[in-house]
Amino acid sequence: MTAGYGPSGKPIEFFGGCDPHALNPGSEFWTTLRDEDPARDTFVHLYVSERPWESGLIDPLLRAVADDGGVDVIITDTGLRRLYHPYDGGADCILETTEERDWLKAAHRDWLSGHPGGL
């Protein structure tokens, strides 16, 4: 899933000048959500695609995120049981069970922040 922002019904803006949909071939409009800040008249336009996995498939999207290209991406399985949201400087992983979370945390302990709060 990739996102663009703007007033409803207006052209979509991409932060950092990078069009994430060009990096996500076959993505199609899914839905529009209102930004949580009521002081702003901004909407989030979400686009999705479904593609069979192959090595290197999402490398251009991940590179754009890592390079702070202003790309908002969520990668998930088709059942929406696991979500991966990379961003410049880290990523959020939302998993199906606490056991799966604990296993992932233990397996990649060296990737975790040294901050006492885990941030």
Side-chain angles (χ1 to χ4, degrees):
M1 179 172 46
T2 51
Y5 302 85
S8 182
K10 301 288 183 182
I12 296 172
E13 298 175 31
F14 304 109
F15 297 119
C18 181
D19 178 352
H21 314 306
L23 300 173
N24 187 18
S27 62
E28 297 180 6
F29 175 75
W30 175 37
T31 192
T32 296
L33 306 170
R34 183 179 282 280
D35 190 300
E36 293 178 359
D37 183 350
R40 296 176 11 186
D41 186 29
T42 304
F43 293 81
V44 181
H45 308 286
L46 301 177
Y47 292 77
V48 296
S49 67
E50 182 179 341
R51 296 185 280 166
W53 178 256
E54 62 182 69
S55 182
L57 179 70
I58 59 172
D59 288 358
L61 277 170
L62 295 176
R63 173 54 52 202
V65 170
D67 289 344
D68 196 21
V71 176
D72 285 328
V73 175
I74 295 177
I75 300 158
T76 183
D77 63 312
T78 56
L80 299 174
R81 293 179 306 269
R82 294 166 189 90
L83 303 172
Y84 177 69
H85 179 228
Y87 47 85
D88 181 34
D92 294 326
C93 295
I94 301 171
L95 304 170
E96 192 169 24
T97 66
T98 55
E99 292 81 14
E100 192 173 9
R101 179 205 60 205
D102 294 345
W103 175 87
L104 187 64
K105 185 175 180 179
H108 300 287
R109 193 162 300 284
D110 56 326
W111 293 3
L112 299 175
S113 168
H115 186 277
L119 305 173

